[in-house]
Amino acid sequence: MRLDLAGKAVLVTGAASGIGLACARAFLAEGARVGVLDRAPAPELDGDVVTVRADVTDEASMAAAVGEVAGRFGGLDVVVGCAGISGPVGTPLADTTAAEFGALLAVNVTGQFLLVKHAAPWLSAAGGAVVLLASDSAFTSAPGMVPYCASKGAVVALTRALSVDLPGVRVNCVCPSVVDTPMARADLGAVLDEPAFPVQAAEDVACQVLYLASACSRTVNGQAVLADFGVSARSGFPA
Ligand SMILES: NC(=O)c1ccc[n+]([C@@H]2O[C@H](COP(=O)([O-])OP(=O)(O)OC[C@H]3O[C@@H](n4cnc5c(N)ncnc54)[C@H](O)[C@@H]3O)[C@@H](O)[C@H]2O)c1
């Protein structure tokens, strides 16, 4: 499959770590130009890279950071929203404060909204693509994940609404199950190393993102791609 991403102008948020970093590396390996946006310092990357520091919850800093990358590249072809947080995972509902709930939605939902809002004027109306990180947690849950699941369900709905609002720009999201990244290590620890527990790599998610960013998926729009090894397809029926 030819992705034809060489020379494309790409902006990835949350690109200093985990899935965002794997996406940035994968786009660079295809010859794309990559804007690396994070609130944390990003590692050195080989290729045509513009690095910007911004907090995705801060509209002024997002407007400036997106504008800086798009200005340097002369526009944007692809935007990928990976910045996200998981906490307070494992906290009982009764102990979860409204402030914690709101802080998580600010990063995982408002951050994606601000990214697309400020990238939209720069996105190519002929073939532009947005890929947002949702999660299988938009569809399934475990105890203590109410704020995170609510935020990822909102990203799926945001994706569908944005695909209607941005003519000529495809907007899709990916919904991976557990991915071995610093976020998942912090939340789950050694569970990730149990052979019976299906865990994907950040590079697996990057493959899904690059497909949705490329013209190979030109007919796919407003979709949530659930990648969970088929676990959620299994009925609870004991057979
Ligand atoms: N790891 C998993 O199991 C998993 C599964 C499904 C979906 N996801 C989603 O994938 C995305 C990436 O997660 P990851 O596992 O790579 O996590 P990670 O912690 O390794 O990376 C997240 C990055 O986002 C950045 N970030 C966080 N808040 C920010 C803010 N306010 N402004 C700017 N940057 C900010 C962090 O600095 C970090 O570099 C998240 O949206 C996460 O919810 C992760």
Side-chain angles (χ1 to χ4, degrees), residues 135-141 175-177 198 225-236:
S135 168
D136 69 340
S137 298
F139 307 105
T140 63
S141 189
C175 301
S177 57
V225 176
L226 177 56
D228 68 348
F229 301 93
V231 168
S232 63
R234 184 80 163 84
S235 163

Side-chain angles (χ1 to χ4, degrees), residues 17-19 38-39 54-56 82 133-134 148 152 176 179 181-183:
S17 175
I19 296 166
D38 207 294
R39 67 180 174 186
D55 184 326
V56 295
C82 288
L133 257 292
Y148 187 73
K152 294 305 182 179
V179 187
T181 67
M183 173 191 286

Side-chain angles (χ1 to χ4, degrees), residues 50-217:
V50 175
T51 302
V52 282
R53 294 281 288 277
D55 184 326
V56 295
T57 67
D58 182 304
E59 180 150 21
S61 104
M62 280 301 281
V66 172
E68 183 179 340
V69 173
R72 292 271 290 275
F73 289 157
L76 291 171
D77 298 296
V78 176
V79 168
V80 182
C82 288
I85 56 173
S86 58
V89 163
T91 306
L93 185 61
D95 299 332
T96 302
T97 67
E100 289 168 331
F101 190 82
L104 190 130
L105 292 185
V107 179
N108 291 5
V109 186
T110 308
Q112 302 283 35
F113 159 73
L114 291 176
L115 169 66
V116 180
K117 174 182 172 183
H118 291 287
W122 296 95
L123 269 168
S124 164
V130 174
V131 186
L132 303 179
L133 257 292
S135 168
D136 69 340
S137 298
F139 307 105
T140 63
S141 189
M145 293 189 67
V146 168
Y148 187 73
C149 291
S151 78
K152 294 305 182 179
V155 173
V156 171
L158 180 69
T159 297
R160 295 178 67 82
L162 288 169
S163 75
V164 173
D165 253 45
L166 298 176
V169 177
R170 292 182 305 109
V171 186
N172 294 289
C173 64
V174 291
C175 301
S177 57
V178 172
V179 187
D180 193 349
T181 67
M183 173 191 286
R185 285 269 154 199
D187 289 336
L188 301 172
V191 174
L192 292 183
D193 300 319
E194 290 182 15
F197 186 60
V199 176
Q200 52 192 296
E203 291 73 20
D204 291 318
V205 184
C207 289
Q208 299 153 26
V209 169
L210 264 67
Y211 163 71
L212 289 171
S214 79
C216 292
S217 61

